[in-house]
Amino acid sequence: MTELTVDRVGLAFEALGSGDRGKMLEYWDADVRFEIPGNHAHAGWYEGLDAFLGFLGTVGRFSDGSYRAENVVVLVNATAGYSVDINKNWATRAGAPADSTSPYDRLEVDAAHILRWENGKIVEGRGVILGDGLTTSSLWWSAINADGSRNDVS
């Protein structure tokens, strides 16, 4: 069995961002379940790596590739098979002015991932958004712009 370490958690996220499916499958189970928090159209459970990658693709489209996340701390309980990472997330909505501070345009949230590991792979994950981040997240994901017009990003 592969040991669960802080380094392995970091490598799992690097693999996810690599675009290399073979590398991803070293850390992410093909049948992974991942819950995205919130009360917007993209919240809920994603069943399987392909569905989760589809969600990440949606994040890329909505943010025009501007989405960034930075881990602040990673905690591991290898015996129980869990890791938790606390992270900061930033993105600007596609088409929004780069200097906008509107929560419809700018996503800035503190969050956590709770990951359950089996045999060296992530089999289940849950995102958690801290503070009033759920409100911020819902506005950012909204199909309505701050001026009430419809947003055509989908």
Side-chain angles (χ1 to χ4, degrees):
M1 183 169 145
T2 304
E3 185 180 5
L4 175 54
T5 64
V6 169
D7 287 339
R8 186 156 184 82
V9 174
L11 291 169
F13 283 109
E14 284 180 28
L16 199 59
S18 74
D20 180 339
R21 186 174 180 80
K23 184 62 107 178
M24 290 176 207
L25 289 171
E26 291 178 29
Y27 303 93
W28 297 81
D29 191 90
D31 296 322
V32 66
R33 302 178 72 231
F34 206 100
E35 183 182 27
I36 301 303
N39 56 8
H40 52 81
H42 303 282
W45 284 100
Y46 288 82
E47 304 286 340
L49 183 58
D50 290 335
F52 183 49
L53 292 173
F55 167 74
L56 296 177
T58 300
V59 172
R61 283 193 309 280
F62 269 64
S63 71
D64 197 23
S66 69
Y67 175 83
R68 299 289 177 265
E70 177 183 303
N71 276 343
V72 176
V73 67
V74 177
L75 308 169
V76 169
N77 182 328
T79 303
Y82 277 90
S83 67
V84 176
D85 61 272
I86 308 299
N87 52 78
K88 294 186 171 291
N89 300 263
W90 305 270
T92 301
R93 185 73 180 248
D99 61 348
S100 177
T101 59
S102 168
Y104 289 89
D105 296 336
R106 184 77 181 150
L107 178 69
E108 291 186 30
V109 295
D110 293 328
H113 297 120
I114 302 167
L115 305 176
R116 186 166 59 87
W117 296 71
E118 290 179 2
N119 300 317
K121 294 184 179 188
I122 299 164
V123 296
E124 185 174 274
R126 290 177 174 224
V128 178
I129 299 178
L130 305 171
D132 198 30
L134 283 176
T135 300
T136 301
S137 176
S138 291
L139 293 173
W140 190 79
W141 281 108
S142 176
I144 306 296
N145 293 312
D147 65 4
S149 63
R150 299 283 304 165
N151 191 316
D152 63 357
V153 177
S154 58

